[in-house]
Amino acid sequence: MELDQRKKQILYAVIKTYLETGEPVGSRTLSKYEDLHLSPATIRNEMADLEELGYLMQPHTSAGRIPSDKGYRFYVDQMLADEKKEVEDMKGLLIEKADKVEKLLKQVANSLAVNTNYATMVSAPKIKGTKIKFIQLSKMEQNRILAVIVADGNIIKNQIIEAKDPIDDEVIFKLNMLLNTSLNGLSVDEINLAMISKLKEQAGEYSDIVSDIIDTVSEVIKPDDDLEIYTSGAKNIFKYPELTDKESVIGLITAFEEKKQLTEIVNETMLNDEISSRGIQVYIGDEAPTDTMKDCSVVTATYEIGEGMKGTIGIIGPKRMDYDKVVKTLKSITGQLDSLYKKKE
């Protein structure tokens, strides 16, 4: 017999209360729960039904009820199912959010190119000092586990882990508790060898699984070296005669196509911002982080779209660029990005 919503609520309330107090739970105690909105008589009848169905037991005739093994099993299975659904829902939202961020940054690059008549670049946000929000393990098959790691900025990583032996739900539940209790809120720098050794010791025969999860965690929260950079307006370079000699054009177009040298600009900007919070940074000629732009001026700024998630916006043009307009434009767009995502958070 499938339990209706009321019976589920009462069963959950009995189990939670019993876990907290260790004492049999009576109907009068549960009637004080505001979220139940039920009289003691109604609760008493429902508890009697749950006992008849095998979910509750009455240790003494005059005492309240305690969960049976069947009750605990229902509670754990339902809890795992609810958590799995929550993770799946979050994955969908995060994929949607990531897609929106990519589209937004491409639009920013295009808009800046049109507005300034220069070449533009916008880097995807890099993760700095990212910490673990939570870890969710779910059993896929007898010997396969799906590990979902969520970090600051709602960065998510899925990893399928192969176990040597079949794993039951109780083990999954205990591993979830162990990992989340130990690792939530930590950055990769805070997860040291001593901590990993202790976790593996606590996991016992499942220490290999813990090792695999730690490896996955480090992949999620370490800085990303493969940086995505969106560009626009490279053809604007041809509007400025001083940039159209063969060597300059080839170097600039190559930089925009291969993007390796644009990554150098991003790294330089992020480093300077981290050291001195310089805000808008202007590189003129030989000051540029890359040789291909020695005949150009490069103006950059950092933006932030979530805690620890920063990116770079850059405008590349001739040394005679309209600095006043470029600086004001960058201040405006970074301010809009910052406020947009702070409101959403």
Side-chain angles (χ1 to χ4, degrees):
M1 175 181 175
E2 186 172 339
L3 301 184
D4 58 33
Q5 189 59 34
R6 179 190 287 180
K7 284 185 173 60
K8 287 180 183 178
Q9 285 181 306
I10 291 173
L11 178 58
Y12 291 161
V14 170
I15 292 174
K16 286 184 177 181
T17 304
Y18 182 67
L19 290 175
E20 290 172 2
T21 65
E23 300 290 336
V25 183
S27 57
R28 190 167 297 279
T29 299
L30 295 187
S31 68
K32 298 175 183 177
Y33 282 33
E34 293 182 1
D35 54 342
L36 287 179
H37 302 293
L38 299 172
S39 67
T42 300
I43 293 172
R44 195 159 42 247
N45 290 335
E46 294 287 4
M47 289 174 74
D49 289 345
L50 287 167
E51 183 180 359
E52 188 175 335
L53 291 168
Y55 293 98
L56 296 178
M57 298 188 301
Q58 192 171 25
H60 307 291
T61 305
S62 59
R65 268 82 168 183
I66 64 174
S68 65
D69 288 350
K70 183 178 179 181
Y72 281 126
R73 166 50 54 200
F74 182 85
Y75 175 77
V76 170
D77 287 349
Q78 191 68 41
M79 181 186 63
L80 292 173
D82 290 344
E83 287 185 356
K84 184 176 181 181
K85 183 179 184 302
E86 182 180 343
V87 169
E88 290 300 318
D89 291 344
M90 176 174 283
K91 282 165 62 179
L93 289 172
L94 294 177
I95 290 169
E96 181 183 354
K97 181 178 179 181
D99 186 50
K100 286 182 178 178
V101 169
E102 181 179 347
K103 288 179 181 177
L104 175 63
L105 296 182
K106 286 180 179 178
Q107 288 172 0
V108 168
N110 292 336
S111 176
L112 286 174
V114 171
N115 184 263
T116 63
N117 271 320
Y118 303 130
T120 62
M121 51 168 277
V122 181
S123 74
K126 293 182 73 173
I127 306 161
K128 291 282 186 181
T130 307
K131 298 185 177 183
I132 301 168
K133 291 183 74 171
F134 71 85
I135 297 169
Q136 175 65 50
L137 306 182
S138 303
K139 187 169 74 173
M140 298 179 65
E141 299 168 8
Q142 288 297 319
N143 292 68
R144 303 182 84 199
I145 298 170
L146 173 64
V148 180
I149 295 98
V150 179
D152 283 344
N154 286 337
I155 304 299
I156 192 165
K157 170 78 174 179
N158 301 325
Q159 181 70 42
I160 295 174
I161 295 171
E162 303 284 346
K164 294 178 181 177
D165 302 304
I167 296 181
D168 58 31
D169 291 335
E170 278 82 0
V171 171
I172 295 291
F173 178 72
K174 289 177 181 177
L175 287 174
N176 270 318
M177 292 290 291
L178 172 64
L179 291 164
N180 282 289
T181 301
S182 304
L183 300 179
N184 282 10
L186 299 183
S187 66
V188 68
D189 296 331
E190 295 171 312
I191 303 174
N192 54 41
L193 290 175
M195 181 178 294
I196 294 171
S197 178
K198 183 178 179 182
L199 278 172
K200 291 174 70 173
E201 182 181 342
Q202 290 175 308
E205 62 184 299
Y206 304 104
S207 61
D208 288 345
I209 294 174
V210 169
S211 292
D212 289 341
I213 292 167
I214 295 292
D215 290 342
T216 304
V217 166
S218 66
E219 289 177 15
V220 174
I221 61 179
K222 72 179 180 181
D224 187 3
D225 296 325
D226 187 15
L227 185 63
E228 187 71 48
I229 298 178
Y230 310 107
T231 61
S232 185
K235 63 180 185 239
N236 287 338
I237 292 168
F238 295 101
K239 295 179 180 179
Y240 306 98
E242 63 266 46
L243 299 180
T244 55
D245 68 83
K246 186 175 180 181
E247 185 180 346
S248 294
V249 167
I250 292 174
L252 287 169
I253 295 301
T254 300
F256 272 79
E257 287 181 349
E258 296 181 356
K259 300 184 180 179
K260 180 179 179 181
Q261 295 177 64
L262 299 184
T263 300
E264 294 175 14
I265 295 174
V266 172
N267 291 336
E268 177 81 10
T269 300
M270 298 289 280
L271 179 62
N272 287 335
D273 185 71
E274 189 174 323
I275 293 172
S276 58
S277 300
R278 289 171 60 179
I280 302 292
Q281 300 176 46
V282 181
Y283 304 94
I284 301 173
D286 291 336
E287 297 173 353
T290 170
D291 291 338
T292 57
M293 297 182 187
K294 63 183 179 180
D295 296 323
C296 303
S297 282
V298 181
V299 185
T300 64
T302 57
Y303 69 87
E304 186 171 0
I305 61 171
E307 186 177 349
M309 297 187 66
K310 292 184 177 182
T312 296
I313 300 175
I315 296 177
I316 298 100
K319 294 177 186 178
R320 60 184 174 92
M321 72 162 51
D322 186 342
Y323 293 99
D324 185 50
K325 178 180 180 180
V326 167
V327 168
K328 286 179 179 177
T329 301
L330 280 177
K331 284 184 176 179
S332 174
I333 198 69
T334 54
Q336 289 175 44
L337 284 171
D338 291 352
S339 62
L340 174 67
Y341 280 88
K342 280 177 184 174
K343 285 179 183 177
K344 287 187 177 182
E345 292 297 329

